[in-house]
Amino acid sequence: MSEPLLAQTSNPADEVLESGDIIVTARRADERLQDVPVSVAALGAEQLAEQRILSEADLQIATPGLILRQTSSNNQINFALRGQTVDAFSGTAPAVVVYMNEVQIAGFGTQSFFDMQSIQVFKGPQGTLFGRNATGGAVLYQLQSPTDELGGYLTAGYGNFNNIEVNGAINVPIGEAVAVRLAASHRKRDGFQRNLAIGNGLESNQIDYQAFRASVLLTPGDRFESLTTFQYNTDDGRASGLKLTSINAPGSTGPDGNALEAPTAFLYNLGLNGTLNAADLELARNQAAGFYDFYNSETNDHKSRQYFISNKTSYELTDTAKVTNIFGYNNVRSTDVIDVDGAGLPWIIIGNVPDTQTETPGANLPNAEGYSWYTKQWSNETQISGKFMDDKLNYIVGVYLGDVKQGTLTPTCAFCDIPGASLQTPFTWGNQNVFGGERRNESKAVFAQFTYKISDPLSLTAGYRHTWEKQSITRAPRDRSVLLPNSVTAFASLKVDKPSWTLSLDYKVNDDLLLYIAQRGSFRTAGYNIDNTVPDAQGRPSNNAYKTETTTDVEAGIKFAGDLGLVRSRINLALYNQSVKDIQRAVYLGIAAVTGNVDKARIRGFEFDANFDISSNVEIGGNLAYTDAVYNDPDAIAGGRNFIYGPYGDAPKWAGSAFAKVSQELSNNLGTAYLRGEIYTQSSFYYSNLANTFTVNTLIDGYSLVNLRAGLDNVGGSQFSLVAYVQNLTKKKYYVGGLDLGAVIGTSARLVGTPRTFGIQGTYTF
């Protein structure tokens, strides 16, 4: 990455732009990437555009080791980093937390990146400054801020699958103390999948995203600055559909020799709707369909709305001390009609569920739009930072308060079209169920971090954070699950009181070379399985709780930014060893995700990235990540049952990419032409953590993707630029994730990756 990355500030230093240094905020201050003793990947606005990073799915190509975890659809996503992630529907806190404008946000759906200033990825446990629940790392989205210059841009593009992209921004200074920036984005694309079970093939895997953003920067004086940002976005259309890939036949055994769960055994014996051997036939027609075709009994309709507000206000108390306050509010609501089994027959329905329990059979259940969830969240963080002892000691101290409410409501039905289907299973099928409720997390923390320059080349950083968490749950009044016949509105609460920390030593060999070693500790808070359908002795919700996850790591690295001979180079290498206790992992039981704690795990590996400016016209680079994650004590209890976990899921051993860019200024003032090519490759991985026992056939093969981009900047000496692109040039067919119901109905289903896409795009700046 040759272009600079600026942390949010109203007056970025010109010398940073000219030097080509990358500026990051890993220690809540503007620093060169090469001076920060931690593994960080950073992308500025130009890299995001050049590499066509439009959403979370594109981000993993540019970031070594970052994996986008996709489960029931392309809207059910989470990041995985160094083997740490969160399971879909589980309700546990993400292990890789997301920040927008320095505000930690929960319940964050898929995004369309536009008018971004930067994206930074901090790897490994975040002990002090970004430490809440971040046992795997943190991803920071920094939005563009208003400036004191009138200007803006407009970008429009068109591609295959009728892909339409329009986004732009305008920046307006109002006097000397106020600046306003307005930005908007629209993206709409037809689906590339067909659901053959509905109509003549219902189009799926669509994009229909709109967003509006307004930012106001106040600078009344040299010492005061306040930035307020509001964003509203909508995301509609139909999500990707799961494709059935395997069914456990009655009597089949797993790799450990034990019998596999196969509650679908009656399908083989009784048939479905008069069709004998319906399970075999359903699997056969999915296998015979085209790669991007599938059979789902549900439409996979998706709808979400998000409001986001942030304010960052700072005041310089003195020339060496500053107070900063960061406030955030986030409100997200989403509904999804989901086919979780990947079959075209109505085995498990979520949403549009026929009501068999009332006097009006066939009526839909309450909230028939499907699985619904919401997040209401606010947080406030106050910091005091500065320098003293002749600038030898940098410090930041602060206090954090936060409140997150997350609710779900899930109407389901299992095998509703089978009259009198009552099986010898742990629960009764053939009836409608509604379960859900609200989870509330109240958090407060104090933290302090200091960096002391022992000598000119040697610095010590030490930080400590103490967090107090309280989680309470209330089951929804409409929770009337026949799986829990005595279900009532239930309340439970728990408290967590844990430390996190950072300790590092870095040695600057010279201006170009940094060596460092760091040790950190963090945790992920305990909680309840609010959707647990495994009853207690009285047949009521068991509120089955899971314990706090704790982790420690050691990381050593080398960072170089300088000249190797005549070649300007940037090289980063980080090696790490991480231990995790009571790892939070979910298993799907009784039509719900139930989280338990796996005793111990160990993750170790390395991350490497390099960039070389061969000449003023040629640039090459790449990155590589190796992750070796194992459960070294794999026992766990979830939903009252014993499980042996392994292999480690969502952790491909190898992932990396390489790129080359050639540019040339054309004669006669025609502009600057460039061609950029990249290849991304990833080794195989499991999308389940129980592949050795309950959930077989969950290994996804490795794959490689090739992307090309050709552009002409400043066409004819104007402010107009034109780009042509192609993603997945070789038309690689690959899977990106899946959902395994091996312990529910004995099925497994997968999500397909994006086929080849191509298009053109033009940008006018003013």
Side-chain angles (χ1 to χ4, degrees):
M1 297 168 288
S2 61
E3 297 86 0
L5 173 77
L6 298 177
Q8 179 172 298
T9 177
S10 59
N11 54 348
D14 291 338
E15 63 269 21
V16 172
L17 287 166
E18 294 170 0
S19 68
D21 288 331
I22 299 173
I23 302 301
V24 296
T25 56
R27 295 191 286 193
R28 292 294 180 98
D30 295 354
E31 298 179 279
R32 292 197 322 155
L33 173 64
Q34 305 308 121
D35 295 336
V36 178
V38 67
S39 180
V40 182
L43 296 162
E46 290 187 42
Q47 289 94 357
L48 294 171
E50 183 178 292
Q51 299 180 45
R52 193 170 165 75
I53 297 174
L54 304 180
S55 66
E56 296 88 346
D58 305 313
L59 194 56
Q60 72 178 34
I61 295 178
T63 308
L66 183 70
I67 302 298
L68 185 70
R69 188 178 194 272
Q70 301 186 46
T71 48
S72 63
S73 77
N74 56 347
N75 292 302
Q76 280 277 341
I77 61 171
N78 284 289
F79 289 118
L81 192 56
R82 294 187 177 180
Q84 294 295 91
T85 188
V86 61
D87 295 304
F89 304 110
S90 65
T92 55
V96 181
V97 299
V98 174
Y99 283 77
M100 179 179 284
N101 279 10
E102 300 185 64
V103 174
Q104 186 181 147
I105 49 179
F108 203 52
T110 55
Q111 294 293 299
S112 180
F113 298 150
F114 71 102
D115 204 36
M116 302 286 289
Q117 184 169 289
S118 69
I119 296 178
Q120 302 174 56
V121 180
F122 302 155
K123 303 174 184 180
Q126 300 302 301
T128 307
L129 303 181
F130 301 95
R132 184 176 181 268
N133 292 325
T135 59
V139 179
L140 277 65
Y141 301 146
Q142 195 66 52
L143 310 178
Q144 286 285 7
S145 301
T147 68
D148 58 2
E149 294 184 0
L150 178 65
Y153 72 91
L154 178 65
T155 296
Y158 183 80
N160 62 331
F161 299 110
N162 199 28
N163 181 55
I164 300 172
E165 301 170 13
V166 181
N167 68 83
I170 184 170
N171 192 91
V172 181
I174 304 174
E176 296 183 354
V178 181
V180 176
R181 188 178 185 92
L182 304 177
S185 176
H186 168 81
R187 188 181 181 198
K188 193 164 186 176
R189 189 200 68 194
D190 294 342
F192 58 79
Q193 285 187 282
R194 290 188 307 155
N195 185 354
L196 303 181
I198 298 178
N200 295 321
L202 187 67
E203 188 179 278
S204 298
N205 217 318
Q206 303 169 327
I207 294 175
D208 188 358
Y209 181 91
Q210 290 81 35
F212 169 78
R213 183 188 304 149
S215 301
V216 179
L217 177 65
L218 305 178
T219 54
D222 296 335
R223 293 184 177 273
F224 180 87
E225 180 176 292
S226 180
L227 173 66
T228 301
T229 299
F230 168 80
Q231 178 170 310
Y232 173 71
N233 53 266
T234 67
D235 187 13
D236 298 328
R238 295 189 195 95
S240 57
L242 283 163
K243 187 169 184 174
L244 186 68
T245 53
S246 69
I247 299 176
N248 297 340
S252 58
T253 59
D256 60 354
N258 293 321
L260 291 171
E261 299 279 339
T264 52
F266 77 96
L267 295 178
Y268 291 87
N269 302 323
L270 302 178
L272 184 63
N273 288 335
T275 303
L276 296 177
N277 301 324
D280 278 341
L281 294 175
E282 182 62 24
L283 179 60
R285 70 171 179 170
N286 270 274
Q287 292 174 336
F291 185 79
Y292 298 104
D293 295 337
F294 63 97
Y295 291 86
N296 278 185
S297 58
E298 297 298 298
T299 60
N300 297 303
D301 287 342
H302 169 75
K303 179 186 294 185
S304 71
R305 303 289 183 269
Q306 179 182 26
Y307 302 86
F308 172 79
I309 301 172
S310 70
N311 174 269
K312 181 179 181 180
T313 299
S314 60
Y315 180 74
E316 293 184 4
L317 301 171
T318 68
D319 290 341
T320 58
K322 179 173 68 173
V323 60
T324 302
N325 192 81
I326 303 170
F327 171 81
Y329 175 77
N330 184 41
N331 186 312
V332 186
R333 290 185 176 272
S334 177
T335 57
D336 291 270
V337 178
I338 304 173
D339 190 314
V340 293
D341 53 44
L345 301 176
W347 293 345
I348 297 182
I349 299 173
I350 298 182
N352 297 317
V353 178
D355 192 338
T356 62
Q357 304 300 303
T358 69
E359 295 179 357
T360 56
N364 283 344
L365 290 176
N367 196 41
E369 290 181 306
Y371 170 76
S372 65
W373 59 267
Y374 64 85
T375 294
K376 297 178 181 179
Q377 170 192 14
W378 68 264
S379 66
N380 194 83
E381 181 173 308
T382 303
Q383 312 165 355
I384 298 178
S385 59
K387 303 177 181 180
F388 57 89
M389 297 178 62
D390 296 327
D391 293 347
K392 287 187 176 181
L393 183 66
N394 292 356
Y395 68 90
I396 178 172
V397 296
V399 59
Y400 172 88
L401 297 173
D403 192 316
V404 182
K405 295 179 180 178
Q406 293 179 301
T408 63
L409 194 66
T410 311
T412 67
C413 194
F415 306 113
C416 280
D417 62 340
I418 304 177
S422 178
L423 311 178
Q424 293 180 352
T425 59
F427 37 73
T428 300
W429 300 87
N431 293 292
Q432 55 82 10
N433 313 284
V434 181
F435 53 90
E438 182 178 84
R439 176 186 292 104
R440 182 180 184 184
N441 274 84
E442 300 169 85
S443 179
K444 55 186 178 181
V446 294
F447 60 88
Q449 185 161 301
F450 303 87
T451 297
Y452 178 68
K453 185 175 287 188
I454 300 172
S455 63
D456 283 341
L458 186 64
S459 295
L460 173 70
T461 297
Y464 180 83
R465 182 185 190 103
H466 204 94
T467 303
W468 295 266
E469 298 258 352
K470 178 183 178 181
Q471 182 176 123
S472 56
I473 64 168
T474 304
R475 287 202 169 247
R478 287 184 289 179
D479 186 322
R480 53 190 182 93
S481 170
V482 298
L483 305 186
L484 301 169
N486 298 318
S487 179
V488 295
T489 300
F491 175 83
S493 66
L494 55 80
K495 294 182 179 181
V496 174
D497 174 1
K498 288 288 184 180
S500 50
W501 65 90
T502 297
L503 185 65
S504 68
L505 194 66
D506 61 90
Y507 183 79
K508 212 166 185 184
V509 179
N510 52 46
D511 289 341
D512 299 333
L513 181 61
L514 178 77
L515 308 176
Y516 72 89
I517 186 168
Q519 196 279 318
R520 297 166 294 188
S522 187
F523 74 94
R524 184 157 43 153
T525 190
Y528 290 103
N529 290 302
I530 194 169
D531 289 340
N532 182 22
T533 56
V534 179
D536 61 15
Q538 288 75 43
R540 295 182 176 182
S542 64
N543 293 331
N544 181 260
Y546 49 87
K547 297 183 290 184
T548 298
E549 174 184 292
T550 59
T551 184
T552 59
D553 85 329
V554 175
E555 178 180 305
I558 178 173
K559 296 188 174 187
F560 175 82
D563 295 330
L564 292 177
L566 299 177
V567 177
R568 183 68 179 174
S569 307
R570 183 177 295 112
I571 301 172
N572 299 309
L573 174 65
L575 301 95
Y576 64 90
N577 188 81
Q578 182 172 352
S579 298
V580 192
K581 294 182 179 180
D582 295 319
I583 308 98
Q584 294 173 6
R585 290 291 185 267
V587 61
Y588 300 99
L589 292 171
I591 326 182
V594 180
T595 299
N597 295 92
V598 188
D599 289 342
K600 294 179 182 179
R602 184 268 301 148
I603 307 103
R604 62 189 177 195
F606 70 81
E607 292 145 354
F608 171 81
D609 66 89
N611 219 83
F612 304 99
D613 294 330
I614 304 300
S615 68
S616 59
N617 297 349
V618 179
E619 179 185 2
I620 63 172
N623 60 63
L624 181 66
Y626 171 75
T627 306
D628 179 21
V630 297
Y631 295 110
N632 44 19
D633 191 350
D635 294 334
I637 297 177
R641 296 179 58 178
N642 293 318
F643 294 93
I644 298 178
Y645 279 70
Y648 211 102
D650 303 296
K653 280 191 177 294
W654 296 97
S657 65
F659 79 92
K661 178 184 176 182
V662 179
S663 60
Q664 179 64 52
E665 187 172 345
L666 304 180
S667 59
N668 299 320
N669 201 30
L670 292 178
T672 302
Y674 70 88
L675 177 65
R676 188 183 195 279
E678 69 184 4
I679 182 170
Y680 171 80
T681 188
Q682 177 181 294
S683 62
S684 61
F685 70 98
Y686 292 91
Y687 60 88
S688 162
N689 285 277
L690 292 163
N692 281 345
T693 51
F694 286 88
T695 57
V696 298
N697 302 315
T698 57
L699 179 67
I700 287 183
D701 292 335
Y703 60 89
S704 297
L705 303 175
V706 178
N707 302 325
L708 291 178
R709 186 177 178 90
L712 183 62
D713 293 336
N714 306 121
V715 179
S718 69
Q719 298 299 308
F720 180 73
S721 298
L722 187 64
V723 170
Y725 64 87
V726 57
Q727 307 281 101
N728 190 5
L729 175 67
T730 62
K731 298 184 178 181
K732 178 66 177 179
K733 296 178 179 179
Y734 61 102
Y735 292 104
V736 293
L739 185 64
D740 193 281
L741 302 181
V744 182
I745 59 171
T747 64
S748 182
R750 299 181 181 183
L751 294 172
V752 299
T754 305
R756 183 170 70 181
T757 59
F758 54 86
I760 57 173
Q761 180 178 288
T763 299
Y764 179 74
T765 59
F766 55 92

